[in-house]
Amino acid sequence: MDFTSPPQSLKDNGYTMAPTDPFDSPKDEMESLVEELKKWKKRVEEAEKAKADLLLCKSSAMEECAKAEDALIKLKNLQEKQHKEAIMSRDTHEKELYVLNQENTELKRQIEKLEEDLAECSLMLSRYSQINKEVAEMKMKFTHMEDMKDNYQDMNTHCVFGVTTKIPFRLDENQVLLTFEDKEVAQRLIEIGKHTVNLDNKTADTRVMPFTLEMGIKFKLYVTISGKKINVSEVPELSIPEDWMRDKLELNFYKSEQGGGEVENVTYDKRSRTAVITFLRPGATNSFVRCTEYPFVVNGTWYSLPISPDTSVKLENFQLYCGISKKTILLEGIKEMEDDEESVQDMIEIHFQKPSNNGGEIEKIKYASKGVTWVCFEEDT
């Protein structure tokens, strides 16, 4: 067979066949496969590199995520801490405000109690005296703690107060009040009657006179603070019988955290919402001295009850006295001067301190240069 000549039929149709080498086709195909393999190898290397880059990015992203989670946890912890601190600070302020309100309430209660005691004293004054006049300002002075007779320790606190009225005196213009340390000096000047006073190279003829003050009042106030009884107020209004309320009060005050002890009696007034707790042991109320509020629990509800010592007040030794000071003189006849009031007062004091002027040591002096001045006298104690 002739391989170099194409078939006659193909020639007739216009096709031309290129000469081929049967050994060239496998070689080209092999080279093509090698080139294709190289391309795929290169792609695999690029893919491996991309994979490595992605793994590196993933690792970096995981580290950043871990750091972000740590930061978020720290931020949450900080927020929780700040929230707790804010709550604690608010609670502290609320507690301080509550304590201040309680102290304010207690002070108001004490003021009301003192006003009631003063009103009671004024009522007793009106009963014991027939003087129809306005009572002057009173001065109350604590004198002593009183012991019971026969060394009987009843654990009550007994206080004695001396109460005296201040007696006002009207000092008119150009008058002087002089109080000496020695009453003999005052009495000697009163006996002389007239006195010439040297004031800054000037002389003033004055009159030395005794003076009489209005009548004063004095009495003793005996206050006894019970060692067995305490007063309870603001007892809650509950729909339970009064006997049950008394029992609950007794149970709450029996062997309480503040002290207390066995309760002898409970007096409860539902209308005024008050109660009086009487303990069996004398001195049991000492543990409640610094306690103004007491916890009271009823049916699982907490109440805060104001408590105070039980006191009794007695007025004795009511007296009317004449407020005359034997050490004080009234001086008239000082003429109006150009010097100021304090300078004139100093000159008068220097003059009457000299023994050569029949004077002596001065305890107090008051000079009214213009207008009217009121001076209050108190009884010497």
Side-chain angles (χ1 to χ4, degrees), residues 272-368:
S272 63
R273 298 173 56 196
T274 60
V276 179
I277 311 298
T278 304
F279 296 97
L280 188 64
R281 178 177 60 85
T285 61
N286 292 339
S287 55
F288 294 94
V289 171
R290 297 182 181 275
C291 177
T292 57
E293 299 285 340
Y294 182 81
F296 181 56
V297 184
V298 181
N299 298 331
T301 304
W302 284 73
Y303 300 92
S304 186
L305 304 184
I307 61 174
S308 61
D310 184 78
T311 59
S312 60
V313 181
K314 181 174 63 173
L315 186 149
E316 291 186 1
N317 299 335
F318 183 88
Q319 297 177 8
L320 303 176
Y321 68 95
C322 185
I324 297 178
S325 175
K326 294 182 179 180
K327 298 190 297 181
T328 304
I329 63 171
L330 176 63
L331 197 66
E332 292 184 345
I334 300 294
K335 298 179 181 179
E336 185 175 354
M337 299 183 64
E338 297 179 356
D339 296 320
D340 59 87
E341 184 176 17
E342 186 175 354
S343 299
V344 177
Q345 183 171 291
D346 290 340
M347 287 186 288
I348 296 172
E349 184 174 3
I350 292 171
H351 178 89
F352 281 97
Q353 279 182 336
K354 297 178 180 179
S356 58
N357 295 327
N358 293 312
E361 290 296 326
I362 295 175
E363 187 175 285
K364 291 180 181 179
I365 181 173
K366 182 59 182 176
Y367 167 59

Side-chain angles (χ1 to χ4, degrees), residues 113 116-117 120-121 124 146 148 154 156-161 220-231 276 308-316:
K113 179 67 175 175
E116 291 176 359
D117 294 341
E120 184 178 352
C121 291
M124 296 180 71
E146 189 172 81
M148 298 303 291
D154 61 350
N156 293 338
T157 302
H158 303 274
C159 304
V160 182
F161 295 87
K220 286 187 177 181
L221 198 64
Y222 292 82
V223 180
T224 301
I225 303 174
S226 176
K228 294 178 63 176
K229 295 181 180 181
I230 58 172
N231 296 323
V276 179
S308 61
D310 184 78
T311 59
S312 60
V313 181
K314 181 174 63 173
L315 186 149
E316 291 186 1

Side-chain angles (χ1 to χ4, degrees), residues 54-68:
L54 289 174
L55 290 173
L56 183 61
C57 291
K58 178 182 179 182
S59 177
S60 178
M62 290 179 68
E63 290 180 359
E64 293 295 330
C65 182
K67 291 181 180 179

Side-chain angles (χ1 to χ4, degrees), residues 24 44 98 102 209 323 325 345:
D24 290 343
V44 169
Y98 176 77
Q102 295 299 317
M209 300 181 301
S325 175
Q345 183 171 291

